[in-house]
Each structure stands twice: as C-alpha cells, then as structure tokens.
Amino acid sequence: MRVALHQPDIAGNVGTILRLGACLGVGIDLIEPMGFAFGDRAMARAGMDYAAGADVVRHADWDAFAGRVGGRIVLLTTKGATRMDAARFEPDDVLLFGSESAGVPPAVHARADLRVAIPMRAGFRSLNVAVAAAIVLGEALRQTKGWPE
C-alpha cells in the first residue's frame, strides 16, 4: 500500500502525510511539480522528525509516476463512483490524492483503476487532503490487514 500526492500545493499537508506514512509503514509518492520547495520549513514542521523515517519516492511528473506504479491506482475524488465504505481495497493499491487547489486533470482521473469518494453530509464539498488520506488509508489498512504489528 502506498499514498501518492499529485502536484501538492501545501507543504504542511505533505509533511503531515509523510508523518502518517512513517508511523504506519506506508510509502509515499510525490508527483511533481509541487507548489513549494521540497524540504520547505512548513513541511518539516508538520512532519516533525517522523518524516525522515518515511519511504518517499519523488517523481518528476505524472508520466514518470505512471510508468513505475505497481498496483491499482485508487483515486480519491469528490467525483468518485464508489463510496469509500463500499470500496474494496487491495494490499498493493496506490491511494492517489490530487492537489489541494485543482484535484487531478482529466487524463489522470481517467487512468484510475478505481475512483473513491469519502461520504459526507450534503452541502459539504471536501476534506483537507491530509485528513482524507488518514481516513482512507485507515480503512484500506483495516481491510487488507496491513496495520503495523
């Protein structure tokens, strides 16, 4: 299981997700360009010293990432076809999250093997990407029995 971030905009969110990956033993893929310099102070502050323990792979662009992905690409989207609580996750899934400002472009959306949405109350559009990553990763690890020992 891995978490991939497509052109993230906010350093603090990336730092939080790096910390999440380090603590749960889940690799993180960063698909560039990013809206900040890697190693930004906000990223370091959010990731604290945990981020150094994360398995991070940086990809120059979408094509570089897509050429290396091993499992299914599971796109988290507000336009998801499957509710998260009805989705069936697999151990080698890559949970893909779009940028905070733009999501993912249509070609990336089309490439996803599965599109998933987090159920929310009417009138609310989306969650913070780090919060969404924690919710979906938790469910995916539960289903696949992938929690650390």
Side-chain angles (χ1 to χ4, degrees), residues 30-92:
L30 300 176
I31 303 164
E32 300 195 33
M34 295 187 285
F36 55 90
F38 189 79
D40 183 282
R41 284 180 27 174
M43 186 175 75
R45 188 169 44 253
M48 296 176 56
D49 57 342
Y50 294 92
D55 168 18
V56 179
V57 178
R58 292 172 61 188
H59 305 274
D61 55 27
W62 170 255
D63 290 335
F65 167 77
R68 290 189 62 194
V69 72
R72 294 187 312 172
I73 295 177
V74 178
L75 175 64
L76 278 295
T77 174
T78 58
K79 300 173 185 128
T82 304
R83 285 174 49 113
M84 180 196 74
D85 54 343
R88 294 294 154 241
F89 295 95
E90 298 175 5
D92 64 345

Side-chain angles (χ1 to χ4, degrees), residues 90-141:
E90 298 175 5
D92 64 345
D93 281 346
V94 178
L95 308 177
L96 175 63
F97 296 83
S99 73
E100 296 87 346
S101 64
V104 298
V108 172
H109 205 278
R111 168 57 180 85
D113 299 297
L114 176 64
R115 289 168 209 80
V116 174
I118 298 172
M120 286 183 268
R121 292 176 37 213
F124 292 88
R125 193 180 71 228
S126 65
L127 295 165
N128 170 282
V129 69
V131 171
I135 290 170
V136 176
L137 179 59
E139 174 61 12
L141 291 175

